[in-house]
Amino acid sequence: MKKQRLGRRAPEAASFAPLIRTLCWAGFGIWLLSLFAGLAQAPADSSPVDFFSYHNAAEVLRQGRSPYPSLEEARSTWLFFHQLDQDISAARVSGQWDAVRRELTDQSPRPGTYMYPPTLARLVLFTGLSQQAFTVLLILAILGFSFLWIRESGAHPVFLVLVACTYEIYTALRSGNVELLLLFLTLLAAVLLWHRKAYWAAPLIAFIVLVKPFYAAFFLAYGLIHGVSGSAPKGLLRRWALPGLLTLGLVGLEVLSWAPALRADSLHYLLHLPDYLWLALSPADQAPMSRWNRTPLQAFVSAGLPLGMATAAVMALGALMLGLTLWKAKGRDLGFARTFALAFILLYWARPVGWGLVYLEFVLLSILWPDLTPWRRTALCVVLGLLMASRKWAIALPQGLGLSTQPGLAHPWEAWLVLPGAWWLLWWSLGAGPKEVKAGG
């Protein structure tokens, strides 16, 4: 009787599966529409702070000047933000925060310095992209990443709740940060590479690294991990050689299209970028940027390590993590999702500047879920839920940054626990699959 009841129940549960998936996607669609509705209600003269810096750089280019500040101007900008942070902290303590907040509301926002190659600013200039259009593009990028990940990883759409509930999605969208677009294009390029369409991926990769060059770390790690895994076809890296040369050629053509003066300014700025960032200031003068820049490099610098030594430490630990990943992945059929996720974690580890760990919980939990026992699923959900909530608490509560994962001078636990912990869980999960060589990928 018991077996019969279970047998009847299973088809009934299976019959609800399409409905549940439809409801998940419907709820996600409603959430996306709410983002569009919020965009429609935004003041016409408002401009997200990150897009503001892209737009300003485009305007400077239109005037025939360099989009990059002098060293003195850059230092002045970061010290301005530091003093503003000090004034806000003092106002909170003295009870004058409401007055200071009204004063700040009446002032025009002051963006940070433009920190990228000129490609992004040139794109904004040539297309005449408005902040509303750019925000729409970012919302579509959120949809694109979510849809593509669910399709390629085979994850259940219920995991979309991790996208809709991640506060870092809101902060990246509200600031108009181009990273949302780059993450979608990175996933799309990785999918094309996996399905042996490397020539289609080349223009995407060229654009990505022309906007943020450190994204090259992802494609290096992704190619190596896929190359040693059992899911890689024979001669994979050789097959990617010509598309790689095409990518370099496209990058070269873009660089050659810059005016000689712009090319010289860009090269000098990018080669000396650490000198122009707040990281070059003393740790005591780096707030609030040191709290917003949530990278291992920032954590090392905030702990008092000189910038050069901190950079070397990040690179050495990243190389160790990559080496251990390649050792564990060799000959194992990882599949696309784990290959992408491991390179994704290594990208977040290697980047010098980053405002959040967008999609980390979404990617991590959807991959690990099938291999976990019920109590481990519960434990991981609780940990990730607290991690996601900490970011909301940090904004909602007075002096709440101590609850956040954002690095501080004393306890930058995101760098030391969250990223290594996510990498270790994925690395550990490689042992769950069979170590055998298969054709594919």
Side-chain angles (χ1 to χ4, degrees):
M1 291 292 293
K2 186 175 182 180
K3 289 183 179 180
Q4 290 176 352
R5 284 196 297 270
L6 289 174
R8 286 196 300 270
R9 210 177 280 142
E12 291 173 0
S15 66
F16 284 105
L19 176 61
I20 294 174
R21 289 178 176 273
T22 300
L23 290 175
C24 289
W25 279 112
F28 189 68
I30 293 172
W31 174 73
L32 287 173
L33 288 176
S34 73
L35 296 181
F36 283 109
L39 173 63
Q41 296 172 3
D45 59 347
S46 67
S47 186
V49 64
D50 288 332
F51 179 77
F52 195 11
S53 70
Y54 313 153
H55 183 268
N56 283 358
E59 284 296 306
V60 170
L61 282 177
R62 185 179 61 82
Q63 299 166 14
R65 297 185 289 115
S66 171
Y68 303 111
S70 66
L71 189 59
E72 293 75 17
E73 290 171 334
R75 298 269 173 95
S76 174
T77 296
W78 307 130
L79 290 173
F80 167 80
F81 289 134
H82 175 69
Q83 187 58 53
L84 182 62
D85 183 66
Q86 296 291 98
D87 293 343
I88 291 174
S89 298
R92 289 183 183 274
V93 173
S94 63
Q96 299 177 345
W97 167 234
D98 288 339
V100 172
R101 181 168 53 187
R102 285 193 297 270
E103 182 181 345
L104 292 174
T105 303
D106 295 336
Q107 295 177 0
S108 299
R110 179 173 177 176
T113 62
Y114 184 76
M115 298 185 296
Y116 312 98
T119 298
L120 180 58
R122 278 161 50 91
L123 182 64
V124 173
L125 174 63
F126 293 154
T127 61
L129 199 63
S130 67
Q131 71 93 4
Q132 291 87 357
F134 190 71
T135 304
V136 168
L137 193 61
L138 297 185
I139 295 175
L140 294 177
I142 296 171
L143 172 62
F145 187 100
S146 304
F147 172 79
L148 202 55
W149 178 255
I150 292 293
R151 192 189 74 171
E152 294 297 324
S153 67
H156 195 282
V158 72
F159 290 107
L160 292 169
V161 71
L162 295 172
V163 177
C165 293
T166 300
Y167 192 71
E168 299 195 336
I169 296 287
Y170 291 96
T171 56
L173 183 63
R174 191 168 57 197
S175 65
N177 197 297
V178 72
E179 186 162 54
L180 290 173
L181 177 60
L182 296 186
L183 288 173
F184 164 61
L185 295 179
T186 298
L187 176 59
L188 179 58
V191 169
L192 291 172
L193 289 172
W194 187 267
H195 292 296
R196 309 186 190 185
K197 297 178 181 178
Y199 286 100
W200 291 96
L204 298 178
I205 299 172
F207 174 76
I208 292 166
V209 299
L210 278 166
V211 175
K212 291 191 177 182
F214 62 80
Y215 267 72
F218 169 86
F219 293 102
L220 174 63
Y222 179 80
L224 291 174
I225 295 169
H226 187 24
V228 303
S229 70
S231 54
K234 291 183 178 180
L236 174 71
L237 297 182
R238 290 195 301 272
R239 188 178 301 168
W240 285 356
L242 286 178
L245 291 175
L246 173 60
T247 301
L248 293 176
L250 292 172
V251 171
L253 287 175
E254 165 65 10
V255 173
L256 289 175
S257 71
W258 304 342
L262 177 60
R263 190 159 57 242
D265 287 344
S266 302
L267 182 61
H268 178 270
Y269 180 78
L270 294 174
L271 290 178
H272 299 86
L273 183 60
D275 296 331
Y276 288 85
L277 295 178
W278 62 91
L279 292 162
L281 301 174
S282 66
D285 294 331
Q286 291 180 21
M289 307 306 295
S290 57
R291 292 196 299 271
W292 299 340
N293 181 34
R294 295 152 59 189
T295 65
L297 177 62
Q298 180 68 66
F300 276 121
V301 172
S302 295
L305 208 63
L307 182 56
M309 293 181 62
T311 303
V314 169
M315 293 177 64
L317 289 174
L320 177 62
M321 293 163 68
L322 176 60
L324 290 173
T325 300
L326 296 176
W327 170 73
K328 193 74 173 286
K330 186 176 182 180
R332 295 184 185 275
D333 187 9
L334 269 61
F336 169 77
R338 276 184 172 81
T339 303
F340 175 87
L342 286 164
F344 185 63
I345 295 293
L346 291 170
L347 166 66
Y348 274 161
W349 179 271
R351 61 183 179 167
V353 176
W355 312 124
L357 301 177
V358 180
Y359 301 124
L360 177 65
E361 299 87 2
F362 178 49
V363 169
L364 185 66
L365 189 60
S366 59
I367 290 175
L368 296 177
W369 189 266
D371 297 331
L372 298 177
T373 58
W375 76 267
R376 284 176 173 169
R377 289 176 177 177
T378 302
L380 186 57
C381 286
V382 170
V383 169
L384 292 182
L386 291 173
L387 176 65
M388 294 166 66
S390 73
R391 296 157 186 161
K392 179 67 174 178
W393 294 337
I395 304 301
L397 299 180
Q399 306 297 329
L401 285 174
L403 296 171
S404 172
T405 61
Q406 295 170 339
L409 294 178
H411 306 292
W413 60 274
E414 175 175 296
W416 309 141
L417 290 180
V418 176
L419 277 178
W423 171 80
W424 181 83
L425 286 172
L426 288 170
W427 187 85
W428 165 81
S429 73
L430 298 186
K435 185 174 182 179
E436 57 185 44
V437 177
K438 296 182 179 180

